[in-house]
């Protein structure tokens, strides 16, 4: 049932709609400057900022080392057999700050070459954006596999691509993500082997002793955790991942 208060407010809203429609709310206000340039209203600046913030998570995943790091950590947890320990939040946090550590030189170059001159009004927006993206392009080109890059160049059917420097982001980004996934699964395979051997040994021992009703995972889990702790596994995995981006 409609509230009596809404019935009272409804005529007022209906009478106010034509006034609002007649006056209008400007979405973009352009103000000409003395030097011939134009400045946009605060409304469109906020809109552009919110759009950039919505794209930021996707950029973090696709243009940085985050993909490789989080996939390796997930495979490592699966190899240990510790179910949800460490939790997803801990793995995401560790992957995020590890990626920030890896990408610090790239972030510093992007800021000093593109963002800082733009803030100081030394560069225009388009030129500053190109200079800010250049360190990320070089990072992705150094990590992408040639076979993956060639595959996406062929699928794009872009005849204007003649050198690596002219590869557009629409081709470089998917090639980089696929290449990172391949590398992450290769690292995960090498990490999985020692723990798989422990599982096989424990299962063989239990079978030989006739303990077929006892779960091998329950017995092998303490040995896998002990092995991982003795070799300082987390430091070894993180240091190997970091070194893999700058070898």
């Amino acid at each position: 049932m409609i509230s009596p208060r809404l019935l009272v407010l409804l005529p007022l809203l209906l009478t106010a709609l034509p006034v609002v429609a007649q006056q209008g709310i400007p979405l973009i206000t352009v103000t000409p400057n003395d030097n011939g340039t134009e400045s946009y209203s605060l409304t469109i600046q906020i809109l552009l900022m919110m759009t950039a913030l919505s794209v930021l998570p996707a950029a973090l995943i696709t243009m940085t080392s985050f993909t490789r790091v989080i996939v390796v950590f997930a495979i490592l947890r699966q190899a240990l057999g510790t179910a949800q320990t460490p939790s997803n939040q801990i793995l995401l946090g560790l992957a995020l700050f590890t990626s920030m550590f890896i990408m610090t030189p790239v972030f510093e170059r992007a800021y000093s070459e593109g963002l800082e001159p733009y803030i100081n009004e030394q560069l225009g927006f388009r030129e500053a954006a190109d200079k800010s993206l250049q360190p990320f392009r070089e990072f992705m080109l150094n990590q992408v596999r040639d076979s993956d890059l060639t595959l996406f160049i062929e699928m794009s059917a872009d005849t204007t691509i003649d050198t690596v420097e002219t590869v557009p982001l629409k081709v470089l980004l998917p090639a980089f993500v696929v290449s990172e996934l391949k590398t992450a699964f290769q690292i995960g395979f090498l990490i999985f082997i020692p723990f798989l051997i422990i599982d096989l040994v424990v299962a063989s021992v239990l079978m030989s002793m006739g303990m077929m009703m006892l779960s091998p995972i329950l017995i092998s889990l303490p040995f896998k955790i002990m092995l991982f702790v003795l070799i300082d596994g987390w430091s070894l995995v993180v240091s190997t991942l970091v070194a893999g981006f700058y070898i």
Side-chain angles (χ1 to χ4, degrees), residues 40 48 52 114-115 117-119 121-132:
Y40 296 96
L48 293 175
L115 184 58
Y118 175 72
I119 294 175
E121 299 182 353
Q122 298 174 356
L123 293 176
F125 177 78
R126 184 177 297 274
E127 187 178 359
D130 293 338
K131 288 185 176 295
S132 298

Side-chain angles (χ1 to χ4, degrees), residues 179-247:
S179 180
E180 286 293 284
L181 288 175
K182 286 183 180 180
T183 305
F185 275 93
Q186 288 178 353
I187 298 174
F189 172 78
L190 297 177
I191 291 175
F192 218 105
I193 293 299
F195 302 107
L196 181 61
I197 294 175
I198 294 177
D199 289 334
L200 292 175
V201 171
V202 171
S204 300
V205 172
L206 292 178
M207 289 291 292
S208 63
M209 296 177 64
M211 298 181 179
M212 292 177 292
M213 301 300 295
L214 186 61
S215 174
I217 298 177
L218 183 63
I219 304 300
S220 63
L221 180 58
F223 292 99
K224 291 191 289 187
I225 293 177
M226 181 183 64
L227 173 65
F228 194 68
V229 171
L230 289 177
I231 65 174
D232 197 9
W234 286 110
S235 298
L236 185 61
V237 171
V238 171
S239 61
T240 303
L241 286 173
V242 173
F245 285 95
Y246 294 103
I247 293 179

Side-chain angles (χ1 to χ4, degrees), residues 6 23 54 70 119 122 126 134 151 201 235 243:
L6 293 178
Q23 292 180 354
S54 63
I70 191 61
I119 294 175
Q122 298 174 356
R126 184 177 297 274
Q134 187 60 30
L151 173 64
V201 171
S235 298

Side-chain angles (χ1 to χ4, degrees), residues 81-116:
T82 55
Q84 296 299 319
T85 304
S87 63
N88 292 331
Q89 292 82 357
I90 295 176
L91 287 185
L92 286 172
L94 180 59
L96 177 62
F97 287 108
T98 303
S99 300
M100 289 178 60
F101 179 81
I102 295 171
M103 300 298 297
T104 296
V106 180
F107 292 150
E108 290 178 349
R109 278 193 56 197
Y111 176 79
S112 61
E113 296 179 5
L115 184 58
E116 187 176 15

Side-chain angles (χ1 to χ4, degrees), residues 141 144-153 164 167 171-172 175:
L141 287 173
V144 70
R145 299 169 184 264
D146 294 337
S147 58
D148 296 327
L149 187 58
T150 303
L151 173 64
F152 280 92
I153 291 176
V164 177
V167 176
V171 176
L172 180 58

Side-chain angles (χ1 to χ4, degrees), residues 25-95:
I25 300 176
L27 178 62
I28 301 177
T29 302
V30 181
T31 304
N33 298 323
D34 295 336
N35 55 0
T37 60
E38 297 176 344
S39 60
Y40 296 96
S41 65
L42 185 61
T43 305
I44 192 62
Q45 292 177 7
I46 293 177
L47 179 62
L48 293 175
M49 184 178 298
M50 295 301 296
T51 304
L53 290 177
S54 63
V55 178
L56 186 60
L60 174 65
I61 294 174
T62 56
M63 298 177 64
T64 65
S65 59
F66 184 82
T67 301
R68 184 190 304 186
V69 174
I70 191 61
V71 170
V72 170
F73 286 164
I75 294 176
L76 173 60
R77 185 177 65 180
Q78 185 71 23
L80 283 171
T82 55
Q84 296 299 319
T85 304
S87 63
N88 292 331
Q89 292 82 357
I90 295 176
L91 287 185
L92 286 172
L94 180 59

